[in-house]
Amino acid sequence: MRIKSLLRFVVAGFGLLFTGLGLRFWLAPDQAGDTFNLAALGVPGLVSLQADLGGLFVSLGVIALAAAFTRRQSLATAGAIVLGAIASGRVIGAITSGAANAHLGSLALEVAAAVALALYARRSGDSLVTPAGSRRRLAVAGIALGLVAAATAAVLNPTVEQWLFNRGAADNMTRSNAALLDEDALRVAVCGSSAPLPSASRAKACAAVFAGGKFYLVDVGPESVENLVTWGVPLAQIGGVLLTHFHSDHIGDLGEANLQTWANGRQQPLNVYGGPGVDRVVGGFNDAYRADQTYRTAHHTARWMSPEAWPLVPQTVEMDGEETGARDRTAIVLEENGVRITAIEVNHDPVVPAYAYRFDYKGRSVVVSGDLKYHPPLAMAAKDADLLVIEAISRSMVKALQTAATNVSRERQAMIMHDIQDYHISPTEAGELANMAGVKLLVFYHLLPTPDNFIARRLFAHDLRAIRPRDWTIADDGSLYTLPAGSRDIRIGRVAQ
Protein backbone atom coordinates (compact mmCIF):
# COMPACT_ATOMS: atom_id res chain seq x y z
CA MET A 1 0.00 0.00 0.00
CA ARG A 2 2.85 2.38 0.79
CA ILE A 3 4.43 1.76 -2.61
CA LYS A 4 1.11 2.42 -4.33
CA SER A 5 0.64 5.67 -2.39
CA LEU A 6 4.17 6.76 -3.25
CA LEU A 7 3.61 5.99 -6.94
CA ARG A 8 0.37 7.92 -6.83
CA PHE A 9 2.21 10.92 -5.38
CA VAL A 10 4.95 10.67 -8.04
CA VAL A 11 2.39 10.38 -10.87
CA ALA A 12 0.53 13.42 -9.54
CA GLY A 13 3.85 15.31 -9.44
CA PHE A 14 4.53 14.52 -13.08
CA GLY A 15 0.96 15.59 -13.85
CA LEU A 16 1.56 18.99 -12.28
CA LEU A 17 4.90 19.32 -14.10
CA PHE A 18 3.41 18.54 -17.52
CA THR A 19 0.41 20.78 -16.90
CA GLY A 20 2.75 23.63 -15.94
CA LEU A 21 4.79 23.12 -19.12
CA GLY A 22 1.61 23.16 -21.18
CA LEU A 23 0.40 26.37 -19.57
CA ARG A 24 3.78 27.93 -20.24
CA PHE A 25 3.48 27.08 -23.93
CA TRP A 26 -0.01 28.58 -23.93
CA LEU A 27 0.97 31.83 -22.17
CA ALA A 28 4.58 32.37 -23.31
CA PRO A 29 5.19 30.09 -26.31
CA ASP A 30 8.39 31.73 -27.56
CA GLN A 31 10.01 31.63 -24.12
CA ALA A 32 8.96 28.02 -23.60
CA GLY A 33 10.22 27.20 -27.09
CA ASP A 34 13.66 28.58 -26.23
CA THR A 35 13.79 26.14 -23.30
CA PHE A 36 13.25 23.27 -25.75
CA ASN A 37 15.54 24.78 -28.43
CA LEU A 38 12.56 25.58 -30.63
CA ALA A 39 12.27 28.82 -32.60
CA ALA A 40 8.85 30.06 -33.72
CA LEU A 41 8.57 31.48 -37.24
CA GLY A 42 6.42 34.57 -36.75
CA VAL A 43 2.90 34.55 -35.37
CA PRO A 44 1.90 31.24 -37.08
CA GLY A 45 4.87 29.56 -35.42
CA LEU A 46 3.90 30.92 -32.01
CA VAL A 47 0.35 29.67 -32.48
CA SER A 48 1.67 26.24 -33.46
CA LEU A 49 3.74 26.09 -30.29
CA GLN A 50 0.70 27.09 -28.26
CA ALA A 51 -1.61 24.62 -29.97
CA ASP A 52 0.61 21.59 -30.48
CA LEU A 53 3.08 21.52 -27.60
CA GLY A 54 0.79 23.35 -25.22
CA GLY A 55 -1.99 20.89 -25.98
CA LEU A 56 0.36 17.90 -25.72
CA PHE A 57 1.76 18.81 -22.31
CA VAL A 58 -1.60 19.84 -20.86
CA SER A 59 -3.12 16.58 -22.10
CA LEU A 60 -0.30 14.55 -20.55
CA GLY A 61 -0.72 16.48 -17.32
CA VAL A 62 -4.47 15.92 -17.23
CA ILE A 63 -4.02 12.19 -17.98
CA ALA A 64 -1.46 11.80 -15.18
CA LEU A 65 -3.51 13.79 -12.66
CA ALA A 66 -6.68 11.93 -13.60
CA ALA A 67 -4.87 8.60 -13.24
CA ALA A 68 -3.58 9.61 -9.80
CA PHE A 69 -6.93 10.77 -8.45
CA THR A 70 -9.29 8.26 -10.12
CA ARG A 71 -6.94 5.25 -9.91
CA ARG A 72 -7.88 4.34 -13.48
CA GLN A 73 -5.41 1.81 -14.82
CA SER A 74 -6.36 2.67 -18.40
CA LEU A 75 -5.37 6.32 -17.93
CA ALA A 76 -2.01 5.46 -16.40
CA THR A 77 -1.33 2.94 -19.17
CA ALA A 78 -2.27 5.47 -21.87
CA GLY A 79 0.08 8.04 -20.36
CA ALA A 80 2.92 5.50 -20.18
CA ILE A 81 2.44 4.55 -23.83
CA VAL A 82 2.43 8.19 -24.99
CA LEU A 83 5.57 8.99 -23.00
CA GLY A 84 7.23 5.81 -24.26
CA ALA A 85 6.54 6.93 -27.82
CA ILE A 86 7.94 10.40 -27.10
CA ALA A 87 11.07 8.92 -25.53
CA SER A 88 11.51 6.57 -28.50
CA GLY A 89 11.30 9.53 -30.85
CA ARG A 90 13.90 11.36 -28.80
CA VAL A 91 16.28 8.39 -29.05
CA ILE A 92 15.76 8.30 -32.81
CA GLY A 93 16.51 12.02 -32.95
CA ALA A 94 19.67 11.55 -30.89
CA ILE A 95 20.88 8.84 -33.27
CA THR A 96 20.10 10.71 -36.48
CA SER A 97 21.38 14.09 -35.26
CA GLY A 98 24.57 12.79 -33.68
CA ALA A 99 23.90 14.87 -30.56
CA ALA A 100 23.03 12.24 -27.99
CA ASN A 101 24.26 14.16 -24.97
CA ALA A 102 21.91 17.05 -25.74
CA HIS A 103 18.91 14.76 -25.25
CA LEU A 104 19.86 12.85 -22.10
CA GLY A 105 18.17 15.15 -19.57
CA SER A 106 14.82 15.23 -21.35
CA LEU A 107 15.04 11.51 -22.12
CA ALA A 108 15.64 10.66 -18.47
CA LEU A 109 12.60 12.70 -17.42
CA GLU A 110 10.36 11.09 -20.04
CA VAL A 111 11.49 7.56 -19.19
CA ALA A 112 11.05 8.23 -15.46
CA ALA A 113 7.52 9.50 -15.99
CA ALA A 114 6.65 6.56 -18.26
CA VAL A 115 8.01 4.05 -15.73
CA ALA A 116 6.10 5.70 -12.88
CA LEU A 117 2.84 5.59 -14.84
CA ALA A 118 3.43 1.98 -15.92
CA LEU A 119 4.14 0.85 -12.36
CA TYR A 120 1.15 2.76 -11.07
CA ALA A 121 -1.05 1.14 -13.74
CA ARG A 122 0.19 -2.26 -12.64
CA ARG A 123 -0.93 -1.60 -9.06
CA SER A 124 -4.19 0.19 -9.78
CA GLY A 125 -7.64 -1.24 -10.22
CA ASP A 126 -9.80 -0.28 -13.18
CA SER A 127 -13.35 -1.44 -13.44
CA LEU A 128 -13.46 -0.49 -17.13
CA VAL A 129 -10.54 -2.71 -18.17
CA THR A 130 -10.49 -6.50 -18.13
CA PRO A 131 -7.47 -8.32 -16.70
CA ALA A 132 -6.57 -9.51 -20.20
CA GLY A 133 -6.88 -5.98 -21.60
CA SER A 134 -4.78 -4.67 -18.75
CA ARG A 135 -2.05 -7.19 -19.46
CA ARG A 136 -2.04 -6.31 -23.14
CA ARG A 137 -1.72 -2.59 -22.43
CA LEU A 138 1.05 -3.14 -19.93
CA ALA A 139 2.81 -5.44 -22.39
CA VAL A 140 2.73 -2.71 -25.05
CA ALA A 141 4.07 -0.17 -22.56
CA GLY A 142 6.76 -2.61 -21.44
CA ILE A 143 7.87 -3.29 -25.01
CA ALA A 144 8.05 0.45 -25.72
CA LEU A 145 10.11 1.09 -22.62
CA GLY A 146 12.34 -1.89 -23.45
CA LEU A 147 13.01 -0.47 -26.88
CA VAL A 148 13.86 2.89 -25.33
CA ALA A 149 16.24 1.24 -22.85
CA ALA A 150 17.91 -0.79 -25.60
CA ALA A 151 18.29 2.21 -27.85
CA THR A 152 19.67 4.30 -24.98
CA ALA A 153 22.21 1.60 -24.16
CA ALA A 154 23.22 1.49 -27.83
CA VAL A 155 23.67 5.26 -27.98
CA LEU A 156 25.94 5.19 -24.91
CA ASN A 157 28.17 2.47 -26.40
CA PRO A 158 31.62 3.96 -27.23
CA THR A 159 31.56 2.55 -30.77
CA VAL A 160 28.14 4.04 -31.42
CA GLU A 161 29.20 7.33 -29.82
CA GLN A 162 32.18 7.54 -32.18
CA TRP A 163 29.93 6.76 -35.15
CA LEU A 164 27.50 9.47 -34.06
CA PHE A 165 30.33 11.97 -33.71
CA ASN A 166 31.75 11.04 -37.12
CA ARG A 167 28.35 11.49 -38.68
CA GLY A 168 27.90 14.85 -36.97
CA ALA A 169 31.35 15.97 -38.12
CA ALA A 170 30.57 14.97 -41.71
CA ASP A 171 27.26 16.83 -41.60
CA ASN A 172 28.96 19.90 -40.14
CA MET A 173 31.64 19.95 -42.85
CA THR A 174 29.09 19.67 -45.63
CA ARG A 175 26.74 22.30 -44.20
CA SER A 176 26.51 25.24 -46.55
CA ASN A 177 24.08 28.04 -47.15
CA ALA A 178 25.56 28.93 -50.53
CA ALA A 179 22.03 29.32 -51.89
CA LEU A 180 21.85 32.63 -50.03
CA LEU A 181 24.27 33.95 -52.65
CA ASP A 182 22.08 33.02 -55.62
CA GLU A 183 21.72 36.06 -57.84
CA ASP A 184 17.98 35.64 -58.31
CA ALA A 185 17.05 37.80 -55.32
CA LEU A 186 18.10 40.40 -52.80
CA ARG A 187 18.22 38.77 -49.35
CA VAL A 188 18.61 40.06 -45.82
CA ALA A 189 19.47 37.84 -42.85
CA VAL A 190 19.44 39.26 -39.33
CA CYS A 191 22.62 38.00 -37.64
CA GLY A 192 22.20 40.11 -34.52
CA SER A 193 18.92 41.53 -33.22
CA SER A 194 19.66 42.80 -29.72
CA ALA A 195 20.87 46.07 -28.25
CA PRO A 196 23.53 46.18 -25.48
CA LEU A 197 21.22 44.69 -22.83
CA PRO A 198 21.99 40.94 -22.68
CA SER A 199 19.81 38.32 -24.32
CA ALA A 200 20.52 34.60 -24.22
CA SER A 201 19.10 34.08 -27.72
CA ARG A 202 20.25 37.20 -29.59
CA ALA A 203 23.59 38.56 -30.77
CA LYS A 204 24.24 42.30 -30.99
CA ALA A 205 23.46 44.41 -34.04
CA CYS A 206 24.21 42.84 -37.43
CA ALA A 207 22.42 42.44 -40.75
CA ALA A 208 23.81 40.45 -43.68
CA VAL A 209 22.68 41.60 -47.13
CA PHE A 210 23.16 39.09 -49.98
CA ALA A 211 23.32 40.43 -53.54
CA GLY A 212 25.42 40.06 -56.67
CA GLY A 213 27.05 36.83 -55.51
CA LYS A 214 28.46 38.44 -52.34
CA PHE A 215 27.24 39.39 -48.89
CA TYR A 216 27.75 42.62 -46.99
CA LEU A 217 27.58 43.07 -43.24
CA VAL A 218 25.88 46.15 -41.86
CA ASP A 219 27.49 46.37 -38.41
CA VAL A 220 29.03 43.41 -36.68
CA GLY A 221 28.06 43.34 -33.01
CA PRO A 222 29.36 40.83 -30.45
CA GLU A 223 28.31 37.18 -31.04
CA SER A 224 27.02 37.93 -34.57
CA VAL A 225 29.89 36.23 -36.42
CA GLU A 226 29.19 33.04 -34.50
CA ASN A 227 25.75 33.02 -36.11
CA LEU A 228 27.24 33.37 -39.60
CA VAL A 229 29.65 30.49 -38.97
CA THR A 230 26.91 28.29 -37.49
CA TRP A 231 24.63 28.92 -40.45
CA GLY A 232 27.25 27.84 -42.96
CA VAL A 233 27.37 31.17 -44.81
CA PRO A 234 30.18 31.05 -47.43
CA LEU A 235 32.35 33.49 -45.52
CA ALA A 236 34.98 33.89 -48.24
CA GLN A 237 32.35 35.69 -50.34
CA ILE A 238 32.13 38.72 -48.09
CA GLY A 239 32.00 41.97 -50.05
CA GLY A 240 32.66 44.31 -47.15
CA VAL A 241 31.57 45.55 -43.72
CA LEU A 242 29.56 48.75 -43.44
CA LEU A 243 29.57 50.40 -40.01
CA THR A 244 26.65 52.66 -39.17
CA HIS A 245 28.52 54.21 -36.21
CA PHE A 246 31.16 53.25 -33.69
CA HIS A 247 29.22 52.18 -30.60
CA SER A 248 30.69 48.98 -29.14
CA ASP A 249 27.60 46.86 -29.77
CA HIS A 250 27.93 47.61 -33.50
CA ILE A 251 31.66 46.96 -33.96
CA GLY A 252 32.60 44.41 -31.27
CA ASP A 253 32.94 41.41 -33.61
CA LEU A 254 34.88 43.20 -36.36
CA GLY A 255 38.06 41.31 -35.49
CA GLU A 256 36.21 37.98 -35.57
CA ALA A 257 34.59 38.86 -38.90
CA ASN A 258 38.04 39.45 -40.31
CA LEU A 259 39.49 36.28 -38.79
CA GLN A 260 36.67 33.95 -39.82
CA THR A 261 36.35 35.20 -43.39
CA TRP A 262 40.17 35.00 -43.77
CA ALA A 263 40.34 31.49 -42.29
CA ASN A 264 37.52 30.39 -44.60
CA GLY A 265 39.31 31.44 -47.76
CA ARG A 266 38.97 35.17 -48.31
CA GLN A 267 41.59 36.06 -50.93
CA GLN A 268 41.92 39.81 -50.43
CA PRO A 269 41.93 42.37 -47.61
CA LEU A 270 38.54 43.16 -46.14
CA ASN A 271 37.12 46.62 -46.82
CA VAL A 272 35.42 48.31 -43.86
CA TYR A 273 33.24 51.28 -44.78
CA GLY A 274 32.15 53.96 -42.34
CA GLY A 275 32.10 57.65 -41.59
CA PRO A 276 35.11 59.76 -40.64
CA GLY A 277 36.95 57.99 -37.83
CA VAL A 278 36.63 54.52 -39.36
CA ASP A 279 40.40 54.48 -39.90
CA ARG A 280 41.01 54.68 -36.14
CA VAL A 281 38.53 51.87 -35.45
CA VAL A 282 40.01 49.62 -38.13
CA GLY A 283 43.56 50.44 -37.14
CA GLY A 284 42.82 49.42 -33.56
CA PHE A 285 41.43 46.04 -34.61
CA ASN A 286 44.37 45.44 -36.94
CA ASP A 287 46.78 46.18 -34.11
CA ALA A 288 44.90 43.97 -31.67
CA TYR A 289 44.82 40.97 -34.04
CA ARG A 290 48.23 41.35 -35.70
CA ALA A 291 50.01 38.94 -33.38
CA ASP A 292 47.21 36.43 -33.89
CA GLN A 293 47.72 36.70 -37.65
CA THR A 294 51.45 36.01 -37.43
CA TYR A 295 50.87 32.93 -35.25
CA ARG A 296 48.31 31.47 -37.63
CA THR A 297 50.36 32.14 -40.75
CA ALA A 298 53.42 30.57 -39.14
CA HIS A 299 51.44 27.51 -38.08
CA HIS A 300 49.32 26.91 -41.18
CA THR A 301 51.69 28.50 -43.76
CA ALA A 302 51.04 31.44 -46.07
CA ARG A 303 49.45 29.12 -48.63
CA TRP A 304 46.36 28.79 -46.42
CA MET A 305 46.59 31.88 -44.24
CA SER A 306 48.00 34.55 -46.50
CA PRO A 307 49.25 37.65 -44.66
CA GLU A 308 48.48 39.72 -47.77
CA ALA A 309 44.78 38.80 -47.57
CA TRP A 310 44.51 39.34 -43.82
CA PRO A 311 44.23 43.09 -43.13
CA LEU A 312 41.14 45.16 -42.61
CA VAL A 313 41.20 48.22 -44.90
CA PRO A 314 39.32 51.38 -43.81
CA GLN A 315 37.21 53.09 -46.46
CA THR A 316 35.99 56.48 -45.26
CA VAL A 317 32.55 57.43 -46.57
CA GLU A 318 32.20 61.20 -46.85
CA MET A 319 28.73 62.62 -47.40
CA ASP A 320 28.11 64.65 -50.55
CA GLY A 321 27.81 68.42 -50.12
CA GLU A 322 28.16 70.68 -47.13
CA GLU A 323 26.90 69.63 -43.71
CA THR A 324 23.38 70.85 -42.97
CA GLY A 325 21.30 71.01 -39.83
CA ALA A 326 18.76 68.71 -41.45
CA ARG A 327 21.25 65.83 -41.72
CA ASP A 328 19.80 64.93 -45.12
CA ARG A 329 22.91 64.08 -47.14
CA THR A 330 23.68 60.81 -48.93
CA ALA A 331 26.70 59.31 -50.68
CA ILE A 332 27.31 56.37 -53.01
CA VAL A 333 29.47 53.83 -51.18
CA LEU A 334 30.07 51.43 -54.05
CA GLU A 335 28.55 49.97 -57.21
CA GLU A 336 29.56 46.45 -58.21
CA ASN A 337 27.94 43.35 -59.72
CA GLY A 338 24.66 45.22 -60.17
CA VAL A 339 24.58 46.26 -56.50
CA ARG A 340 24.38 49.91 -55.50
CA ILE A 341 25.00 50.82 -51.86
CA THR A 342 24.13 54.32 -50.65
CA ALA A 343 25.04 55.79 -47.27
CA ILE A 344 22.35 57.90 -45.62
CA GLU A 345 23.04 60.43 -42.89
CA VAL A 346 20.92 60.03 -39.73
CA ASN A 347 20.70 61.76 -36.36
CA HIS A 348 22.05 59.89 -33.35
CA ASP A 349 23.42 62.86 -31.42
CA PRO A 350 25.80 63.04 -29.70
CA VAL A 351 27.10 60.18 -31.85
CA VAL A 352 28.58 61.57 -35.07
CA PRO A 353 28.86 60.25 -37.75
CA ALA A 354 25.82 57.96 -37.88
CA TYR A 355 24.59 56.34 -41.09
CA ALA A 356 21.98 54.06 -42.57
CA TYR A 357 22.63 52.14 -45.81
CA ARG A 358 20.41 51.50 -48.81
CA PHE A 359 20.97 48.50 -51.10
CA ASP A 360 19.46 48.45 -54.60
CA TYR A 361 19.69 45.27 -56.69
CA LYS A 362 17.67 44.09 -59.70
CA GLY A 363 14.74 46.37 -58.94
CA ARG A 364 14.54 45.47 -55.25
CA SER A 365 15.72 47.58 -52.33
CA VAL A 366 16.39 47.46 -48.59
CA VAL A 367 17.42 50.14 -46.12
CA VAL A 368 19.26 49.09 -42.95
CA SER A 369 19.64 51.68 -40.23
CA GLY A 370 21.81 51.66 -37.17
CA ASP A 371 20.86 53.75 -34.15
CA LEU A 372 18.99 57.01 -34.67
CA LYS A 373 16.42 59.43 -33.36
CA TYR A 374 13.17 60.14 -35.21
CA HIS A 375 14.59 61.43 -38.50
CA PRO A 376 12.23 62.36 -41.38
CA PRO A 377 15.05 62.69 -43.95
CA LEU A 378 15.48 58.92 -43.67
CA ALA A 379 11.97 58.52 -45.14
CA MET A 380 13.05 60.42 -48.25
CA ALA A 381 16.16 58.27 -48.69
CA ALA A 382 14.12 55.09 -48.10
CA LYS A 383 11.38 56.10 -50.57
CA ASP A 384 9.52 53.04 -51.93
CA ALA A 385 12.02 50.58 -50.46
CA ASP A 386 10.84 47.00 -50.10
CA LEU A 387 12.29 46.66 -46.59
CA LEU A 388 13.21 49.09 -43.86
CA VAL A 389 15.28 47.27 -41.25
CA ILE A 390 15.49 49.58 -38.26
CA GLU A 391 16.27 49.68 -34.57
CA ALA A 392 13.59 50.47 -31.98
CA ILE A 393 13.26 51.25 -28.29
CA SER A 394 10.14 50.69 -26.21
CA ARG A 395 10.26 53.71 -23.94
CA SER A 396 7.52 52.39 -21.66
CA MET A 397 9.49 49.19 -21.06
CA VAL A 398 12.78 51.06 -20.56
CA LYS A 399 11.08 53.44 -18.12
CA ALA A 400 9.91 50.38 -16.19
CA LEU A 401 13.53 49.18 -16.03
CA GLN A 402 14.59 52.65 -14.88
CA THR A 403 12.00 52.61 -12.09
CA ALA A 404 13.02 49.11 -11.03
CA ALA A 405 16.68 50.17 -10.85
CA THR A 406 15.80 53.29 -8.85
CA ASN A 407 13.74 51.26 -6.38
CA VAL A 408 16.77 49.13 -5.48
CA SER A 409 19.22 52.07 -5.41
CA ARG A 410 21.06 51.08 -8.58
CA GLU A 411 21.61 54.69 -9.55
CA ARG A 412 24.05 54.06 -12.39
CA GLN A 413 21.68 51.64 -14.16
CA ALA A 414 18.76 53.99 -13.60
CA MET A 415 20.75 56.87 -15.12
CA ILE A 416 21.63 54.80 -18.19
CA MET A 417 18.01 53.70 -18.66
CA HIS A 418 16.98 57.36 -18.47
CA ASP A 419 19.60 58.66 -20.87
CA ILE A 420 19.15 56.12 -23.67
CA GLN A 421 15.54 57.10 -24.21
CA ASP A 422 16.29 60.34 -26.05
CA TYR A 423 18.53 59.10 -28.87
CA HIS A 424 16.73 56.00 -30.09
CA ILE A 425 13.59 55.72 -32.19
CA SER A 426 10.39 54.13 -30.93
CA PRO A 427 8.36 51.54 -32.88
CA THR A 428 5.62 54.13 -33.43
CA GLU A 429 8.07 56.72 -34.78
CA ALA A 430 9.63 54.09 -37.03
CA GLY A 431 6.15 53.19 -38.26
CA GLU A 432 5.54 56.83 -39.16
CA LEU A 433 8.77 56.95 -41.17
CA ALA A 434 7.88 53.71 -42.94
CA ASN A 435 4.47 55.10 -43.85
CA MET A 436 6.02 58.33 -45.14
CA ALA A 437 8.49 56.36 -47.27
CA GLY A 438 5.91 53.92 -48.63
CA VAL A 439 8.00 51.00 -47.36
CA LYS A 440 6.40 47.62 -48.03
CA LEU A 441 7.66 45.84 -44.89
CA LEU A 442 9.02 47.34 -41.68
CA VAL A 443 11.46 45.05 -39.82
CA PHE A 444 12.53 45.78 -36.25
CA TYR A 445 15.93 44.62 -35.04
CA HIS A 446 18.42 46.01 -32.48
CA LEU A 447 15.59 45.75 -29.99
CA LEU A 448 15.71 47.64 -26.69
CA PRO A 449 14.86 45.93 -24.46
CA THR A 450 14.77 42.56 -26.22
CA PRO A 451 11.18 41.24 -26.27
CA ASP A 452 12.04 37.63 -25.53
CA ASN A 453 8.60 36.34 -24.64
CA PHE A 454 5.10 36.52 -26.09
CA ILE A 455 3.81 39.23 -23.74
CA ALA A 456 6.92 41.39 -24.16
CA ARG A 457 6.61 41.19 -27.97
CA ARG A 458 3.03 42.43 -27.80
CA LEU A 459 3.93 45.22 -25.38
CA PHE A 460 6.96 46.25 -27.45
CA ALA A 461 4.80 47.20 -30.46
CA HIS A 462 1.62 48.09 -28.59
CA ASP A 463 1.25 51.69 -29.84
CA LEU A 464 2.51 50.88 -33.35
CA ARG A 465 -0.68 49.05 -34.30
CA ALA A 466 -2.67 52.29 -34.28
CA ILE A 467 -0.65 53.85 -37.11
CA ARG A 468 0.63 50.78 -38.96
CA PRO A 469 -1.60 47.81 -38.18
CA ARG A 470 0.15 45.46 -40.60
CA ASP A 471 3.25 45.05 -42.77
CA TRP A 472 5.73 45.02 -39.89
CA THR A 473 7.57 42.29 -38.02
CA ILE A 474 9.95 41.85 -35.10
CA ALA A 475 13.10 40.03 -36.19
CA ASP A 476 14.98 37.31 -34.37
CA ASP A 477 18.50 36.10 -35.03
CA GLY A 478 18.17 34.04 -38.19
CA SER A 479 15.17 35.89 -39.63
CA LEU A 480 15.51 35.87 -43.43
CA TYR A 481 13.79 38.20 -45.92
CA THR A 482 13.95 37.28 -49.60
CA LEU A 483 13.08 39.77 -52.36
CA PRO A 484 12.98 37.89 -55.69
CA ALA A 485 14.11 39.84 -58.76
CA GLY A 486 11.31 40.85 -61.12
CA SER A 487 8.69 40.48 -58.40
CA ARG A 488 7.04 42.45 -55.61
CA ASP A 489 6.97 39.46 -53.27
CA ILE A 490 8.59 39.55 -49.85
CA ARG A 491 9.23 36.08 -48.47
CA ILE A 492 9.72 35.81 -44.73
CA GLY A 493 11.56 32.77 -43.43
CA ARG A 494 14.57 31.65 -41.45
CA VAL A 495 18.14 30.87 -42.38
CA ALA A 496 18.43 27.09 -42.75
CA GLN A 497 20.46 25.49 -39.98
Side-chain angles (χ1 to χ4, degrees):
M1 182 61 70
R2 290 180 181 177
I3 294 177
K4 182 176 178 180
S5 297
L6 177 61
L7 285 171
R8 185 182 182 194
F9 177 79
V10 171
V11 168
F14 279 119
L16 292 173
L17 172 64
F18 292 137
T19 302
L21 287 172
L23 291 175
R24 192 179 183 204
F25 271 105
W26 277 351
L27 298 176
D30 47 356
Q31 190 176 39
D34 288 342
T35 303
F36 286 80
N37 297 311
L38 299 172
L41 182 56
V43 174
L46 290 174
V47 173
S48 294
L49 288 179
Q50 288 172 309
D52 298 339
L53 289 179
L56 171 64
F57 280 118
V58 167
S59 297
L60 277 173
V62 169
I63 288 172
L65 288 171
F69 287 101
T70 66
R71 298 181 176 85
R72 292 289 187 188
Q73 188 182 61
S74 55
L75 290 172
T77 303
I81 292 173
V82 171
L83 282 163
I86 292 172
S88 298
R90 190 173 297 281
V91 170
I92 293 170
I95 293 172
T96 57
S97 68
N101 290 338
H103 299 266
L104 290 179
S106 297
L107 180 62
L109 177 65
E110 290 155 0
V111 170
V115 168
L117 282 162
L119 292 175
Y120 185 66
R122 179 70 179 83
R123 291 177 174 270
S124 298
D126 192 336
S127 59
L128 298 181
V129 179
T130 66
S134 173
R135 286 192 293 272
R136 283 195 298 271
R137 291 169 186 254
L138 287 173
V140 171
I143 291 171
L145 290 174
L147 290 173
V148 170
T152 302
V155 168
L156 298 178
N157 179 277
T159 301
V160 175
E161 288 177 336
Q162 185 65 55
W163 177 81
L164 291 172
F165 181 83
N166 293 346
R167 175 165 179 168
D171 289 344
N172 185 60
M173 287 299 171
T174 57
R175 181 184 298 125
S176 173
N177 261 315
L180 292 170
L181 295 168
D182 288 351
E183 299 182 29
D184 60 338
L186 175 63
R187 296 176 176 86
V188 181
V190 175
C191 37
S193 58
S194 82
L197 294 181
S199 170
S201 59
R202 300 175 186 270
K204 305 304 182 289
C206 177
V209 180
F210 299 83
K214 295 183 178 182
F215 73 95
Y216 305 85
L217 295 180
V218 179
D219 290 335
V220 58
E223 302 101 31
S224 60
V225 172
E226 182 177 345
N227 280 334
L228 296 170
V229 174
T230 301
W231 297 338
V233 172
L235 296 178
Q237 298 305 113
I238 189 168
V241 177
L242 301 107
L243 300 179
T244 62
H245 63 294
F246 308 137
H247 262 149
S248 60
D249 57 313
H250 294 255
I251 67 171
D253 247 13
L254 183 57
E256 289 303 300
N258 188 36
L259 170 63
Q260 293 294 340
T261 55
W262 178 54
N264 279 275
R266 195 186 77 236
Q267 296 298 307
Q268 62 284 319
L270 179 58
N271 287 324
V272 180
Y273 301 87
V278 69
D279 54 333
R280 292 182 59 194
V281 173
V282 168
F285 276 98
N286 278 338
D287 287 344
Y289 277 74
R290 185 163 282 108
D292 177 88
Q293 176 266 311
T294 61
Y295 304 149
R296 296 181 189 280
T297 299
H299 189 196
H300 301 294
T301 77
R303 176 187 177 188
W304 301 110
M305 307 293 280
S306 166
E308 287 76 22
W310 170 76
L312 296 166
V313 178
Q315 302 288 349
T316 301
V317 178
E318 299 277 4
M319 289 293 163
D320 296 336
E322 295 294 325
E323 183 177 353
T324 68
R327 305 266 178 94
D328 57 358
R329 296 177 298 169
T330 63
I332 300 298
V333 177
L334 62 83
E335 293 185 83
E336 61 179 13
N337 303 319
V339 183
R340 171 183 283 190
I341 304 177
T342 305
I344 304 164
E345 194 174 26
V346 298
N347 184 357
H348 188 39
D349 278 347
V351 180
V352 179
Y355 295 165
Y357 293 96
R358 176 170 180 146
F359 295 77
D360 288 278
Y361 179 67
K362 292 189 175 181
R364 309 307 300 268
S365 55
V366 58
V367 175
V368 183
S369 178
D371 298 353
L372 76 163
K373 302 180 181 183
Y374 178 69
H375 189 62
L378 178 62
M380 294 297 297
K383 187 69 175 176
D384 296 327
D386 294 291
L387 293 183
L388 173 58
V389 183
I390 195 168
E391 69 133 346
I393 180 174
S394 170
R395 295 194 180 99
S396 65
M397 297 171 75
V398 172
K399 286 177 182 176
L401 294 175
Q402 176 188 344
T403 300
T406 300
N407 290 342
V408 294
S409 299
R410 298 182 67 175
E411 296 180 1
R412 183 180 298 273
Q413 286 77 13
M415 175 272 296
I416 292 172
M417 290 301 103
H418 172 271
D419 289 352
I420 62 177
Q421 295 176 43
D422 70 355
Y423 72 162
H424 289 285
I425 193 168
S426 73
T428 302
E429 291 168 339
E432 291 176 359
L433 293 183
N435 290 346
M436 291 166 57
V439 168
K440 297 179 182 65
L441 180 65
L442 175 63
V443 178
F444 293 110
Y445 86 130
H446 191 274
L447 309 164
L448 185 62
T450 50
D452 286 337
N453 61 61
F454 178 71
I455 293 174
R457 290 174 80 93
R458 290 186 56 81
L459 183 60
F460 190 88
H462 180 266
D463 295 331
L464 171 65
R465 296 178 178 86
I467 66 162
R468 191 176 174 97
R470 61 184 63 84
D471 298 328
W472 59 268
T473 185
I474 296 176
D476 300 297
D477 285 16
S479 293
L480 176 65
Y481 306 92
T482 300
L483 313 175
S487 168
R488 295 178 60 84
D489 291 345
I490 298 177
R491 301 171 186 169
I492 303 176
R494 289 193 64 81
V495 177
Q497 298 185 41

